[in-house]
Amino acid sequence: MAADAPRCTDSSSSTIATKTGAIMPCQNQQPGPGVVEPAAHKQLRFAEAVESDSRAAGGSSSSSSESSPDSSNGSEDHGSSAAQQELEEQLLARQIGPQLKVLPINDQIRELQTIIRDKTTSRGDFVFSADRLIRLVVEEGLNQLPYTESTVTTPTGYKYEGVRFERGNCGVSIMRSGEAMEQGLRDCCRSIRIGKILIQSDEETQRAKVYYAKFPPDVYRRKVLLMYPILSTGNTVIEAVKVLIEHGVQASFIILLSLFSTPHGAISIIQEFPDITILTTEVHPVAPTHFGQKYFGTD
């Protein structure tokens, strides 16, 4: 994947937000969203098998408030709880719509999720498993980007009809936990530009405030892979998307890459921005909110 991954060549410049939360316009900020209309292109699409899978599973499920607890608690039968959770994810995806995309579950993903959730996991095993799961999410995120048809000649002289990713993509990580996903993106896209957003909760109001933002100068014309591993309430992501929109990025150009999401977090983001795409491996009422501290060794 790395050999044919999209390459970005433009240099980056910064935009600054004041400590009061007000966004200061930068020299490269473009007026208004949708300044540049992209050329027509084909789109690789995530497999849409939710409806058929849910019919095969019976088409009904118990309330999500009665779903199984965090997987670190091994008191319930693994097979039945995993099947119930998968069905609930499918029904939630149908409720929200195609904007929510959940990776098809398999034993490999389930094991990585279990290791990350287990409180007895060592930091070394935690980071190793998290990096593997991040890579899977990043790879699927790249499938959401535009491509063009490309014909190449093989060493034997054979003409091969293939595809090539279009230029004009970038990553944006929400500091600090989002930075854990940057290396996974760089492993797939060697020279991709990566911006950053720093958002913290106000000590008095507990509301998310933007303190710093840095993007490529032409971010308004790019597809943006927004990286934030844990979606709990969704408030942090909502503030980050608002900043991107202020810099001219269309919500439909934003693909949110996450590892774990709660139903509340996913629904809050989609209700605020119906055109955004959310890609995750799991939708569960209990999210591993210790992820950032464990990954960076500050727990």
Side-chain angles (χ1 to χ4, degrees):
M1 184 69 188
D4 295 326
R7 300 174 62 90
C8 301
T9 58
D10 297 329
S11 59
S12 62
S13 61
S14 61
T15 62
I16 303 299
T18 66
K19 292 187 177 180
T20 61
I23 303 300
M24 299 296 292
C26 65
Q27 60 182 0
N28 57 47
Q29 184 169 344
Q30 301 297 320
V35 176
V36 177
E37 288 295 333
H41 56 261
K42 291 188 176 181
Q43 187 92 0
L44 287 174
R45 279 306 187 190
F46 192 84
E48 299 290 351
V50 172
E51 185 172 353
S52 60
D53 288 346
S54 62
R55 285 199 301 265
S60 62
S61 172
S62 61
S63 172
S64 60
S65 62
E66 297 177 358
S67 60
S68 59
D70 197 350
S71 59
S72 59
N73 183 347
S75 59
E76 295 194 16
D77 177 74
H78 170 73
S80 60
S81 62
Q84 178 183 356
Q85 181 179 331
E86 183 177 0
L87 178 58
E88 290 173 349
E89 289 173 349
Q90 294 170 354
L91 295 176
L92 179 64
R94 290 184 62 191
Q95 175 186 352
I96 296 178
Q99 291 79 15
L100 175 63
K101 302 178 185 297
V102 182
L103 265 67
I105 196 66
N106 54 44
D107 289 341
Q108 176 185 201
I109 292 178
R110 184 67 70 188
E111 180 192 25
L112 296 175
Q113 293 170 341
T114 303
I115 294 173
I116 291 173
R117 287 181 175 276
D118 189 351
K119 66 179 182 181
T120 65
T121 299
S122 66
R123 179 172 179 265
D125 290 342
F126 184 95
V127 172
F128 180 80
S129 298
D131 286 343
R132 287 185 60 198
L133 195 60
I134 288 170
R135 180 63 178 263
L136 294 174
V137 173
V138 168
E139 293 281 5
E140 188 54 53
L142 296 178
N143 283 337
Q144 311 303 313
L145 298 178
Y147 71 90
T148 55
E149 295 181 354
S150 176
T151 302
V152 298
T153 303
T154 69
T156 61
Y158 177 77
K159 296 292 185 180
Y160 179 78
E161 303 290 338
V163 298
R164 192 180 303 276
F165 279 103
E166 291 185 355
R167 296 176 181 269
N169 309 302
C170 71
V172 173
S173 64
I174 301 177
M175 301 162 65
R176 180 182 188 195
S177 60
E179 293 177 306
M181 306 181 73
E182 290 183 4
Q183 188 58 49
L185 180 58
R186 286 195 176 99
D187 288 342
C188 298
C189 309
R190 291 178 297 176
S191 60
I192 192 168
R193 300 296 179 184
I194 296 181
K196 295 178 183 289
I197 301 178
L198 174 61
I199 300 176
Q200 295 179 344
S201 298
D202 184 86
E203 295 182 357
E204 296 181 358
T205 64
Q206 298 301 314
R207 295 187 62 182
K209 294 174 59 178
V210 179
Y211 285 85
Y212 174 80
K214 179 180 180 180
F215 307 125
D218 58 348
V219 67
Y220 61 92
R221 65 170 77 228
R222 295 176 180 264
K223 288 269 191 175
V224 176
L225 296 174
L226 183 61
M227 297 174 286
Y228 196 59
I230 308 299
L231 302 182
S232 182
T233 64
N235 294 335
T236 299
V237 171
I238 289 174
E239 292 301 318
V241 174
K242 288 180 179 178
V243 176
L244 288 169
I245 291 176
E246 288 176 0
H247 285 78
V249 180
Q250 300 181 47
S252 60
F253 281 16
I254 301 174
I255 302 171
L256 175 60
L257 306 183
S258 71
L259 303 184
F260 300 89
S261 174
T262 65
H264 174 74
I267 292 174
S268 297
I269 295 170
I270 293 297
Q271 287 179 342
E272 187 77 18
F273 307 105
D275 294 330
I276 196 174
T277 298
I278 299 178
L279 180 62
T280 186
T281 73
E282 183 181 63
V283 181
H284 192 281
V286 181
T289 54
H290 67 292
F291 181 91
Q293 292 82 357
K294 188 81 170 183
Y295 190 94
F296 293 106
T298 57
D299 54 341

